Amino acid sequence: MDKIRELSIPNHARIIVISDIHGELELFQRLLDKVQFSKEDYLIINGDLCEKGSNSMGVVQYIMELEANNPKVHVIEGNCDTLVEYLLNEDQNIINYLCTRKHSIMNEWLENIGYKISSESSVKEVKEQLWRHFSREIKWLTELPTAIETDHYIFVHAGLEDIENWKDTSRVAAISIPEFLLKSHQANKYVIVGHWPVGNYTSKTLSNNPIIDQEKKIIANDGGNNVKLSGQLNAFIITPSSSGDNFSHTYVDRFPTTKVIKQFNADSSWTGSISYVNYALTPIEKGEHFTLCKQPGTDQLLYVKNEYILQKDRGYEAKEEVSCTQISVEKEDIVSIIDDSCAGYALIKKDGFVGWVAKEAIE
Ligand SMILES: [Mn+2]
């Protein structure tokens, strides 16, 4: 990769890392408030400002301004931020992408200038229109660095190749390598990434909180905002202290919260979750609310909420990624409600952990 920014961060400053905002301006602003982002802090936006959410244009505008007014704000590119390059290269495939994906920054820009796109549209003309009105934004997006290196950290959207000199990682790998936490790297610093929702790595209690792998020196921070049913926007926070850097995190999501009115004790044998790829299920015993299933992909036994099991021609599968864990709650706990539309049990999030509680605990 060619675009590496070296950055020297004074060793008393807090570093806040946020990735995969995906067009969620309001969530991003709430998160900055929640971490009490101040003039003393460094803010690293770890790629994927655009796509999937409904206000990519607003996110880009807001962060461009933030960066222009604050030398401590730094942004790197994610794969979703590089899509405008297809347009600049006049690649006709981008027209098909824009016709099938409603939530794209380019569609928001086109709507803003009242240009109706169709599969017949010429890529040259769309490019000319957007360049006329948004050249500043397009230029900014294409000039973002691929990685930022500080004394102790490397910030990159997806990951590094497992090679002697990490700087030889190709740009495509840096912004789009999948499952980096299952791989390894040879840089002798922590590598902080987004891109791959951390929920994909969990096999026990589903959580979208950042994962720190001390041995591999990888920190995965993508909370699956706008990608996962229970997704959230994470802030990973590095706070220096005399004994070294402290790591912490916080998050925001769009779920309503409620106060627990009755204690619920989880059955600890109800654990695990269904995540990306492993949707196939073999039902073993159907209960009133949950069905004990075997997950052929992992050989795990899981209690799957009946409403989340679909019968397809090829067999049974999960409707989407979902927790199969029960979680305990105490009276007065504040929890977020992810799904209260099922019979008997509600899917909630407590301190970032996702699972089921009996409905009488919350209503
Ligand atoms: Mn990404």
Side-chain angles (χ1 to χ4, degrees):
M1 63 180 116
D2 305 320
K3 298 185 291 178
I4 300 173
R5 180 179 295 169
E6 276 167 30
L7 186 62
S8 145
I9 296 184
N11 50 20
H12 58 269
R14 197 164 72 132
I15 308 172
I16 295 159
V17 194
I18 301 175
S19 73
D20 300 85
I21 299 165
H22 287 307
E24 291 291 336
L25 181 59
E26 187 259 349
L27 273 186
F28 175 63
Q29 290 168 330
R30 262 172 56 204
L31 188 55
L32 288 184
D33 278 348
K34 197 169 178 192
V35 300
Q36 297 178 298
F37 176 58
S38 83
K39 284 274 176 222
E40 315 301 315
D41 298 323
Y42 276 74
L43 175 64
I44 310 277
I45 309 289
N46 223 10
D48 276 7
L49 290 68
C50 300
E51 315 301 284
K52 298 186 168 81
S54 57
N55 193 5
S56 296
M57 182 174 155
V59 169
V60 167
Q61 247 164 20
Y62 187 82
I63 292 178
M64 277 175 75
E65 208 155 299
L66 211 58
E67 192 201 49
N69 294 315
N70 184 343
K72 293 176 181 168
V73 175
H74 294 267
V75 188
I76 62 169
E77 60 180 0
N79 53 319
C80 292
D81 308 315
T82 65
L83 292 167
V84 287
E85 289 172 15
Y86 291 90
L87 186 73
L88 296 181
N89 297 336
E90 298 179 12
D91 185 330
Q92 190 67 28
N93 291 321
I94 196 68
I95 300 299
N96 183 39
Y97 172 87
L98 292 175
C99 290
T100 49
R101 299 276 189 113
K102 186 168 168 276
H103 291 308
S104 165
I105 190 165
M106 289 171 268
N107 276 330
E108 291 174 23
W109 284 337
L110 289 170
E111 200 184 310
N112 186 272
I113 59 172
Y115 184 94
K116 290 241 177 313
I117 191 169
S118 77
S119 54
E120 313 295 307
S121 299
S122 114
V123 65
K124 226 181 166 88
E125 193 185 313
V126 172
K127 173 183 158 182
E128 275 166 18
Q129 287 289 335
L130 290 184
W131 186 255
R132 186 173 309 153
H133 295 91
F134 300 102
S135 60
R136 213 169 68 89
E137 289 82 354
I138 294 171
K139 245 174 107 29
W140 184 82
L141 283 169
T142 56
E143 285 170 3
L144 290 173
T146 308
I148 291 175
E149 182 182 25
T150 70
D151 285 348
H152 304 289
Y153 302 96
I154 295 163
F155 302 93
V156 62
H157 179 63
L160 300 178
E161 285 173 284
D162 193 359
I163 49 179
E164 204 180 328
N165 183 2
W166 67 267
K167 292 179 182 177
D168 292 335
T169 297
S170 74
R171 177 184 178 222
V172 172
I175 62 174
S176 61
I177 195 170
E179 300 186 308
F180 183 53
L181 198 59
L182 305 181
K183 304 186 165 86
S184 46
H185 66 85
Q186 296 174 42
N188 55 0
K189 314 181 169 185
Y190 267 110
V191 179
I192 305 185
V193 300
H195 186 61
W196 202 254
V198 290
N200 289 348
Y201 298 117
T202 20
S203 59
K204 291 199 172 106
T205 308
L206 178 62
S207 161
N208 300 294
N209 292 338
I211 300 174
I212 303 165
D213 188 319
Q214 291 184 321
E215 255 158 50
K216 289 186 174 180
K217 285 196 168 270
I218 295 175
I219 296 167
N221 190 35
D222 178 5
N225 158 52
N226 255 336
V227 178
K228 300 282 177 184
L229 169 67
S230 60
Q232 64 196 31
L233 186 61
N234 287 330
F236 187 79
I237 305 166
I238 302 168
T239 314
S241 79
S242 51
S243 56
D245 285 350
N246 289 324
F247 297 151
S248 62
H249 72 269
T250 189
Y251 68 86
V252 292
D253 60 30
R254 75 190 79 233
F255 304 110
T257 56
T258 192
K259 202 183 262 181
V260 173
I261 53 167
K262 192 166 176 261
Q263 183 181 349
F264 175 75
N265 293 319
D267 180 334
S268 59
S269 60
W270 295 43
T271 178
S273 66
I274 291 166
S275 58
Y276 188 54
V277 185
N278 291 310
Y279 293 119
L281 296 168
T282 310
I284 294 171
E285 195 186 337
K286 185 166 185 197
E288 187 189 353
H289 295 301
F290 295 86
T291 297
L292 180 64
C293 296
K294 189 163 185 165
Q295 193 178 32
T298 63
D299 263 353
Q300 275 191 98
L301 288 173
L302 298 167
Y303 286 95
V304 186
K305 189 77 182 88
N306 292 341
E307 289 88 339
Y308 279 80
I309 303 174
L310 299 178
Q311 189 175 3
K312 294 275 179 76
D313 292 342
R314 54 184 180 273
Y316 291 88
E317 63 183 54
K319 187 174 81 171
E320 57 190 312
E321 296 178 296
V322 67
S323 173
C324 303
T325 305
Q326 287 191 357
I327 49 181
S328 297
V329 289
E330 301 289 337
K331 227 173 139 174
E332 305 288 306
D333 278 352
I334 303 290
V335 299
S336 329
I337 312 235
I338 296 166
D339 181 4
D340 62 357
S341 69
C342 297
Y345 288 78
L347 185 64
I348 63 144
K349 190 193 286 186
K350 180 187 159 187
D351 303 328
F353 291 95
V354 181
W356 297 91
V357 295
K359 274 191 165 172
E360 63 208 35
I362 54 163
E363 57 189 39

